[in-house]
Amino acid sequence: MGTAARSRLVVARALAVVILTMLTAGLPIAAAASLKVLVRNDAGESVADAVVQALPRGGGSGAASQPTEVVIDQKDKEFVPYVTTVRVGTRVKFPNSDNIRHHVYSFSPAKTFAIPLYKGLPSEPIVFDKPGIVALGCNIHDWMSAYVFVSETPHFAMTGQDGWTSVKNLPAGRYVVEVWHPRLKGTPQPATHEVTLGRDENAELAFVIEQKRVFRAPRMSSTTSGGYR
Amino acid sequence: MFKLTHAASIIYRFRSFRTRILVFFLGLLVLVQASTFFAVNTANIENARRVLDDALVVTTSVFKRQIDERSRQLQLAARLLSGDFAFKEAYATREHATALSALDNHRARIGADVMMLVSMDGTVIVDTLHPQAAGKPSPNPRLLEKAERSQYGETTGVVFLDEQPFQMVVVPLLIPFPDAWVCVGFRIDDAFAKVLQQDTHSHVSLLRADTGKGWAVLASTLPAQARERLPNALTEQPWREGETGTFDLASEAYISLVAPLSDAETQRVVVVLQRSLEEALAPYLRLRVVLGALFAFGVLLSVIGAVLIARMVTRPVLKLAAGARRIEQGDYLQTVDIDQRDEIGELARAFSSMGKGLAERDRVRSLLGKVVSPAIAEELLSKEIKLGGEEREVSILFSDLRNFTNLCENRSPQEILALLNRYLTQMSAVVEDHGGVIDKYVGDSVMALFGAPLHHGDDAARATSTALGMHAALKDLNEDFFNRGWPRLEIGVGINTARVVAGNMGSLTRMNYTVIGDGVNLASRLEQLSKRYGVPIVISETTQVAAAGFVYRELDRVCVKGKTEAVNIYQPLGRPDDLAPAVREELARYHEALSMYRARDWKGARARLQALHTAAPDCRLYLLYLDRAKTFQREPPPLDWDGSFIFDEK
């Protein structure tokens, strides 16, 4: 059975549940639909670090949320974590847990910034004020890279190792579910899917995305010889 | 025409030793030198080609390594450029002009000919060569695809921009993820080819093949004419990629190796590494010239050497031949003068010695002939010298001068000798003319042999003729003597024919060829008797019997001393034709008287003899018989008297 057919089946069932829930519940605040999403690639493998975003169909960014602070660490010459999803307006701290300096930068249109060579914690966190995908790098360590997914809506989640994630507290309505992954073919264009959620509906979606190979600079160590490559 | 006949005459003279030596040595030298020359030449050329082949194969590896090195260097440079943070910042401004200027700056840093930024989907962002090309599809899509497939997003290849070839490298611009392709390119032109030429010591040409259109030269270090011919050569002359072959470009041969440069499908680019065969062969050709010069020099030396050596042989040989011819003609004394220290000189010296030896022998021979007589000399020389002889029938002639002692009186010994020699010379001539041999001279006597050592068959007649001849010659001699004031000579001759022994008598160191026997003594006695009878010649009966053709006068029947038997003795008067009828008639009357005498008819004999005497008062013979007849008439001989007369003296 195809994905579309299957999701339709699921949706149909969900719809029924949602409508029932809405009829019976009546309180919008109590209406908390959730969306469980499985992301896999076309080889059948589960995809981790896939960002699932539920955008309301009619637009709107959904309920405002308090800006939160997020931390992206630098440990052992790597950004930790690799993919971070934040709400627009989130302040992100970039502590340097290494005993060497790093020069964090990004040239992404969503947030172009740079924190020149520093140790410890920069005085000011970086505010990601535009939605989009921000690619981070370190100027003096070519391989150091990370992503920050800045979401317009509060409804986003990231898949775990098993490829599952769930977006909670969704008001009922129609949504465009977007799945993005660093290695998504066609990035930064996400894979999309429309879904309508009823009140208290627990929907499930499965995405199959095409991935491409992305080359990064190889991590260098003192034992790595230059030579020919 | 002259040259032809000249050549023909030379070939005809191949028989001459000198020409043969010359031709042989020259031929040998030419053969050896020519074969050496060709062998060396062929080996050289082959070697040169092989060396070239090997060199080109190595050169190709060097070339490939060169290209790879350059690519790697380009890649390194591109990688560094793309990692430059300031450049990334300039790029991130998304301002075309800023990006272009930064890109150009970077291009200049490494001296590249072109630098491009291409988006990940193949659209040109910035192009230093074509600033207006932003937004257009990049001209190297295949190269970008190749980069995408590679491990690190890096690749290199040949790309054609505006129909011009570029060696291009592609590296990703990582910020930190690939955001664009950085393309850096170097033009492949003659300058590039020249750098490669310097490194590989070969001519480098880069050609592009358009399907169906043949080859086009992108860059080349070849001289103009060869460069023009190269595309056609690739089309027309057979070659295999990676293998050495020969291309003929503008009538010069190049050992060539064609190797692929890029793996682009439509645009096939090859590099042709070439080395001029002529240049490579230049040292060998020089060697060939040297060899040729040596060859010519060798020929010259050979000719000279052969001529000289031949001459050293032929000249002396010709001299010796002339000398031999002179010897043949009897001239022993002229020596052959060849002053050489070698075998030829040895031969010349031996030849001269031979000449001297021959001359000596000739002298000795002639001397011997003079001393003994040529016939005896010949006889002696022909046989082994030993004492002894052989029994033969020989007529021995003795002649003696009657009044020799008187002649010697009042004359100097020199005069006597001169006189004697003249006389002896004459008499000897007569003997030799008749085939006789002078045995010896004993003072004024001559002893001659007829029948030894040579035997003629009519030796007795010859002896008799000789005796008569001697007397005839004497007449002429006496005339001559008279004119000189020398006295008249008178000789008596005695001849006897008997079996005697003829041979060498004496000792081995001093010997004499002569005859020994009774007959010899008789001949001597007969000669002595000639005076008695007043006749010039007295011969024995054996001689008379043996010598036919003469008229004889019987002289007597005698018993010489020591002999018991009586023999008749005769006087030869001459040949019948030479005698006058009166003489013959007188002879007949004498013989008649003699018969009467022998028949004891003293009176009758006396009467006849008297008549004869009256007619010839000088004839002693008649007087002798008259006397005897008178005596016998008074005192007759014994009854057994055989008419012989006994001589008491010797």
Side-chain angles (χ1 to χ4, degrees):
Chain A
M1 200 187 285
T3 313
R6 202 186 152 190
S7 50
R8 261 194 232 112
L9 207 67
V10 171
V11 163
R13 225 177 19 140
L15 196 63
V17 172
V18 165
I19 290 169
L20 273 168
T21 316
M22 276 172 71
L23 283 170
T24 54
L27 282 169
I29 297 169
S34 70
L35 190 62
K36 226 169 159 215
V37 181
L38 170 68
V39 181
R40 283 199 304 228
N41 64 12
D42 47 9
E45 298 157 339
S46 50
V47 177
D49 295 333
V51 178
V52 179
Q53 208 182 199
L55 294 159
R57 182 89 212 304
S61 53
S65 55
Q66 293 292 349
T68 46
E69 281 203 351
V70 168
V71 167
I72 299 178
D73 201 356
Q74 293 153 81
K75 274 205 188 93
D76 190 26
K77 303 191 205 104
E78 292 282 5
F79 285 109
V80 180
Y82 183 54
V83 179
T84 311
T85 39
V86 296
R87 185 86 199 276
V88 164
T90 309
R91 294 209 286 270
V92 180
K93 283 195 179 135
F94 291 92
N96 182 358
S97 297
D98 279 340
N99 60 352
I100 54 167
R101 289 173 194 262
H102 289 290
H103 176 155
V104 180
Y105 73 92
S106 175
F107 288 115
S108 305
K111 183 71 185 176
T112 303
F113 74 97
I115 312 173
L117 284 174
Y118 71 98
K119 265 192 178 170
L121 182 66
S123 43
E124 290 295 317
I126 307 292
V127 181
F128 286 83
D129 48 3
K130 275 202 278 218
I133 300 160
V134 179
L136 304 172
C138 171
N139 188 26
I140 56 170
H141 303 107
D142 294 333
W143 65 90
M144 277 178 71
S145 53
Y147 279 102
V148 180
F149 188 92
V150 187
S151 176
E152 308 178 67
T153 74
H155 311 299
F156 55 82
M158 212 161 67
T159 59
Q161 287 300 315
D162 58 357
W164 284 104
T165 190
S166 49
V167 181
K168 295 198 171 62
N169 302 317
L170 281 163
R174 288 176 63 186
Y175 291 91
V176 175
V177 181
E178 289 180 352
V179 170
W180 176 86
H181 186 266
R183 286 173 54 201
L184 178 70
K185 210 168 191 178
T187 190
Q189 284 299 108
T192 55
H193 196 83
E194 278 198 27
V195 74
T196 309
L197 292 172
R199 285 167 67 100
D200 299 324
E201 190 184 331
N202 295 318
E204 270 190 26
L205 273 181
F207 273 85
V208 175
I209 58 166
E210 273 183 75
Q211 285 186 308
K212 65 171 194 242
R213 197 173 64 88
V214 172
F215 31 79
R216 302 163 64 190
R219 184 192 166 98
M220 291 298 174
S221 69
S222 51
T223 57
T224 320
S225 67
Y228 294 94
R229 68 165 193 209
Chain B
M1 194 57 206
F2 169 70
K3 279 203 176 142
L4 263 173
T5 49
H6 188 59
S9 76
I10 287 177
I11 291 165
Y12 177 73
R13 281 183 52 211
F14 255 44
R15 306 181 305 152
S16 116
F17 179 71
R18 182 167 72 189
T19 318
R20 254 185 267 148
I21 274 206
L22 198 65
V23 167
F24 173 72
F25 274 113
L26 212 57
L28 190 67
L29 178 85
V30 167
L31 191 71
V32 166
Q33 287 258 15
S35 39
T36 308
F37 181 79
F38 283 120
V40 169
N41 196 44
T42 313
N44 271 351
I45 306 285
E46 252 186 59
N47 193 47
R49 290 189 88 108
R50 223 178 313 120
V51 166
L52 268 184
D53 279 1
D54 292 344
L56 272 180
V57 169
V58 169
T59 302
T60 313
S61 326
V62 169
F63 174 82
K64 285 208 177 100
R65 172 60 87 188
Q66 282 278 325
I67 294 285
D68 289 346
E69 265 304 306
R70 286 179 70 86
S71 300
R72 198 177 85 84
Q73 281 172 358
L74 270 182
Q75 220 164 304
L76 282 170
R79 215 185 285 153
L80 282 174
L81 282 181
S82 67
D84 186 74
F85 193 70
F87 179 69
K88 289 181 192 175
E89 281 187 296
Y91 165 75
T93 62
R94 313 275 170 200
E95 283 170 14
H96 185 262
T98 309
L100 178 61
S101 63
L103 200 67
D104 215 18
N105 185 55
H106 274 63
R107 181 194 65 75
R109 276 188 189 170
I110 58 169
D113 292 312
V114 66
M115 202 162 170
M116 290 192 306
L117 273 176
V118 180
S119 68
M120 297 309 283
D121 60 7
T123 314
V124 172
I125 304 171
V126 196
D127 182 349
T128 55
L129 266 187
H130 309 96
Q132 322 305 323
K136 301 215 175 72
S138 81
N140 55 350
R142 240 172 293 274
L143 199 63
L144 297 176
E145 272 170 39
K146 201 168 149 204
E148 276 211 39
R149 286 197 297 271
S150 76
Q151 190 186 10
Y152 295 107
E154 295 172 353
T155 191
T156 175
V158 173
V159 160
F160 282 87
L161 307 173
D162 300 333
E163 300 295 305
Q164 273 193 348
F166 285 83
Q167 176 78 31
M168 186 166 272
V169 299
V170 174
V171 297
L173 181 68
L174 301 171
I175 51 172
F177 298 104
D179 208 62
W181 296 111
V182 176
C183 308
V184 186
F186 279 82
R187 245 192 216 99
I188 294 173
D189 56 4
D190 285 351
F192 175 70
K194 206 154 199 75
V195 170
L196 290 173
Q197 181 191 31
Q198 281 162 5
D199 290 333
T200 59
H201 305 286
S202 314
H203 280 295
V204 176
S205 305
L206 294 137
L207 294 108
R208 177 186 79 201
D210 292 325
T211 41
K213 279 195 264 175
W215 295 89
V217 176
L218 301 168
S220 179
T221 57
L222 286 170
Q225 270 199 322
R227 186 196 174 120
E228 265 172 40
R229 290 277 310 137
L230 187 55
N232 286 343
L234 276 174
T235 326
E236 289 159 16
Q237 298 177 33
W239 55 273
R240 292 242 284 268
E241 227 172 65
E243 282 181 19
T244 54
T246 315
F247 281 159
D248 261 303
L249 305 172
S251 67
E252 230 189 275
Y254 287 89
I255 303 286
S256 315
L257 200 150
V258 181
L261 189 62
S262 78
D263 48 14
E265 281 93 351
T266 50
Q267 304 254 41
R268 183 179 172 201
V269 178
V270 294
V271 63
V272 183
L273 297 167
Q274 291 175 302
R275 291 210 187 168
S276 163
L277 189 62
E278 233 178 75
E279 274 171 36
L281 288 180
Y284 297 103
L285 293 174
R286 275 198 293 279
L287 179 66
R288 183 156 74 174
V289 169
V290 170
L291 276 181
L294 281 176
F295 171 60
F297 188 62
V299 168
L300 190 68
L301 276 185
S302 262
V303 169
I304 293 172
V307 166
L308 285 177
I309 288 176
R311 270 217 299 187
M312 268 172 69
V313 173
T314 39
R315 272 247 220 94
V317 165
L318 288 170
K319 272 198 199 165
L320 284 169
R325 254 177 254 122
R326 283 199 299 273
I327 282 182
E328 184 198 12
Q329 284 156 17
D331 176 8
Y332 300 126
L333 296 172
Q334 233 181 359
T335 52
V336 175
D337 245 331
I338 295 166
D339 192 14
Q340 273 172 230
R341 295 250 191 106
D342 59 3
E343 292 88 336
I344 303 281
E346 194 60 37
L347 178 66
R349 278 189 289 282
F351 191 85
S352 296
S353 300
M354 179 187 82
K356 287 196 194 110
L358 281 174
E360 183 78 16
R361 193 164 77 149
D362 215 37
R363 265 180 45 219
V364 168
R365 247 209 155 137
S366 92
L367 188 67
L368 183 68
K370 288 193 177 80
V371 166
V372 286
S373 84
I376 292 179
E378 200 60 50
E379 169 78 14
L380 288 171
L381 288 167
S382 67
K383 294 212 182 94
E384 197 189 316
I385 302 293
K386 57 177 195 248
L387 295 174
E390 49 187 358
E391 220 180 86
R392 301 168 90 125
E393 183 162 292
V394 181
S395 298
I396 306 109
L397 184 150
F398 279 95
S399 93
D400 198 18
L401 276 175
R402 288 249 173 92
N403 47 350
F404 187 56
T405 21
N406 291 349
L407 288 168
C408 293
E409 240 178 87
N410 301 325
R411 287 204 159 79
S412 67
Q414 296 281 29
E415 211 184 338
I416 296 168
L417 192 64
L419 190 156
L420 205 57
N421 281 342
R422 267 193 88 74
Y423 155 72
L424 290 174
T425 305
Q426 277 284 22
M427 296 298 111
S428 305
V430 176
V431 169
E432 273 154 24
D433 284 346
H434 286 83
V437 162
I438 304 285
D439 186 318
K440 56 169 81 66
Y441 300 111
V442 185
D444 59 310
S445 308
V446 178
M447 176 178 166
L449 305 170
F450 295 83
L454 296 168
H455 171 67
H456 287 112
D458 57 345
D459 294 304
R462 284 171 183 260
T464 313
S465 298
T466 304
L468 291 164
M470 282 164 96
H471 276 97
L474 200 62
K475 278 208 184 95
D476 294 328
L477 192 69
N478 279 334
E479 259 188 57
D480 177 55
F481 272 29
F482 180 71
N483 292 336
R484 289 168 186 265
W486 286 341
R488 283 185 72 243
L489 299 175
E490 256 185 70
I491 58 167
V493 181
I495 307 174
N496 182 29
T497 306
R499 278 199 84 76
V500 292
V501 172
N504 291 323
M505 182 190 82
S507 71
L508 272 170
T509 51
R510 179 77 178 85
M511 63 179 77
N512 184 222
Y513 185 88
T514 188
V515 289
I516 292 289
D518 254 353
V520 181
N521 304 327
L522 181 60
S524 178
R525 298 275 170 88
L526 291 178
E527 183 270 313
Q528 285 153 20
L529 284 177
S530 66
K531 198 168 185 182
R532 281 266 181 134
Y533 289 92
V535 292
I537 308 163
V538 176
I539 69 175
S540 68
E541 193 170 358
T542 34
T543 309
Q544 185 259 353
V545 165
F550 296 94
V551 176
Y552 294 101
R553 177 156 70 186
E554 191 178 335
L555 293 173
D556 204 349
R557 191 174 287 160
V558 295
C559 268
V560 285
K561 190 167 177 152
K563 296 241 178 249
T564 45
E565 284 224 6
V567 288
N568 284 349
I569 56 176
Y570 299 82
Q571 181 204 359
L573 294 173
R575 298 227 178 244
D577 303 329
D578 301 331
L579 292 173
V583 172
R584 307 245 352 219
E585 216 227 29
E586 190 181 331
L587 184 69
R589 276 189 272 134
Y590 161 77
H591 277 145
E592 209 188 327
L594 188 64
S595 328
M596 282 181 181
Y597 167 84
R598 295 245 173 87
R600 294 173 179 245
D601 180 4
W602 316 118
K603 219 189 209 161
R606 281 182 76 180
R608 289 276 194 286
L609 286 163
Q610 189 64 44
L612 283 165
H613 171 70
T614 313
D618 295 321
C619 179
R620 273 186 85 161
L621 187 66
Y622 299 151
L623 271 172
L624 186 95
Y625 272 108
L626 268 172
D627 244 359
R628 278 199 205 162
K630 200 170 168 185
T631 311
F632 278 145
Q633 199 171 12
R634 243 195 350 262
E635 288 170 26
L639 284 163
D640 60 348
W641 180 71
D642 57 352
S644 66
F645 186 80
I646 297 165
F647 278 98
D648 301 318
E649 319 90 9
K650 81 164 169 81

